[in-house]
Every structure is written in structure tokens, then in C-alpha cells.
Amino acid sequence: MPSVDVLDEIFLAVPPATVAAVFADSVAWRRFWPDLRLEVYADRGVEGLRWTVDGALVGTQEVWLEPVLDGTLLHYFLRADPPPGGSVRPGEAQRRQLAAKRVGFAVKARLEAGRAPGCPPPAAD
């Protein structure tokens, strides 16, 4: 079992393709996960991405985008260990869980901006 095993989910009231575009931008990865180096090993299009992870942690990470009702359920997974010769800092798993929530809520706030509560997401272009 990995030293850091994070699972998170958040609902976004926008279509999966809209969410996928955010995570397809490799420049955003550095903002979301500044101490990790990511390399895509599975580009699943509107279903998300899978990466190998290196840097502060070594392992795998995934964003899976599941269409649900009129939006997207964003699933986030991080399964990693410290790099060779390193050790996991105390509280690392909780720190990564909170970071996952911050990323999810930041993407949600950006993509749902201007949408009135209870209204459907804007039509995809």
C-alpha cells in the first residue's frame, strides 16, 4: 500500500469536456501540484488523465471525469511514496487531501462562475 493514498470527489455543474480542458493544460499542473512532476501515461480525453508522478512523491495520479446528471463528478486519485531515500513528512496524506479539495473547489468556482444556483450549466460550444 502506498504511503500517501488520496481519493477525492467533487461535483461540477458543467459538462465533462469543459472540465477535461482545464486538466489538459499542462501549465495548470504546475499551479495545482507545484512540487510534483507529471507525465501523462493515459490521456482518456473527456474521461480524464492518468499521470506518473515524480518529485516530492513517486507514484501515480489520476483525474477521472464521470458524467452525472447535468454535470461532472471529478474523481481524484493520488497513490505515491516518498522518492528513494526519502521519507513521508508527518501529516503528508492529510496535506495532500486538503490540497485536492482546494484544486477541486478552485476549478469548480472558475467553471461555474456566473451560473445561478439550481440552473443547468451553460450549453457547450
Side-chain angles (χ1 to χ4, degrees):
M1 180 168 186
S3 302
V4 177
D5 192 5
V6 176
L7 162 67
D8 193 58
E9 297 177 331
I10 187 168
F11 180 79
L12 293 87
V14 295
T18 303
V19 183
V22 171
F23 289 101
D25 177 10
S26 62
V27 173
W29 305 346
R30 183 60 72 190
R31 273 192 327 271
F32 296 152
W33 307 288
D35 61 343
L36 301 178
R37 290 186 306 273
L38 306 177
E39 186 171 325
V40 174
Y41 75 86
D43 183 342
R44 301 174 61 229
V46 296
E47 292 182 344
L49 293 163
R50 292 179 180 155
W51 299 273
T52 56
V53 174
D54 198 6
L57 296 170
V58 176
T60 62
Q61 178 170 284
E62 177 178 359
V63 169
W64 168 38
L65 307 174
E66 179 183 11
V68 174
L69 301 171
D70 63 350
T72 305
L73 188 56
L74 184 156
H75 302 271
Y76 171 78
F77 304 94
L78 172 64
R79 294 180 180 98
D81 290 302
S87 62
V88 173
R89 297 184 314 188
E92 183 69 13
Q94 182 179 19
R95 190 173 81 75
R96 296 292 173 168
Q97 289 165 344
L98 293 173
K101 280 293 183 204
R102 279 192 300 276
V103 168
F105 281 120
V107 171
K108 180 179 182 68
R110 181 177 136 210
L111 296 181
E112 292 183 3
R115 183 187 69 85
C119 292
D125 294 335

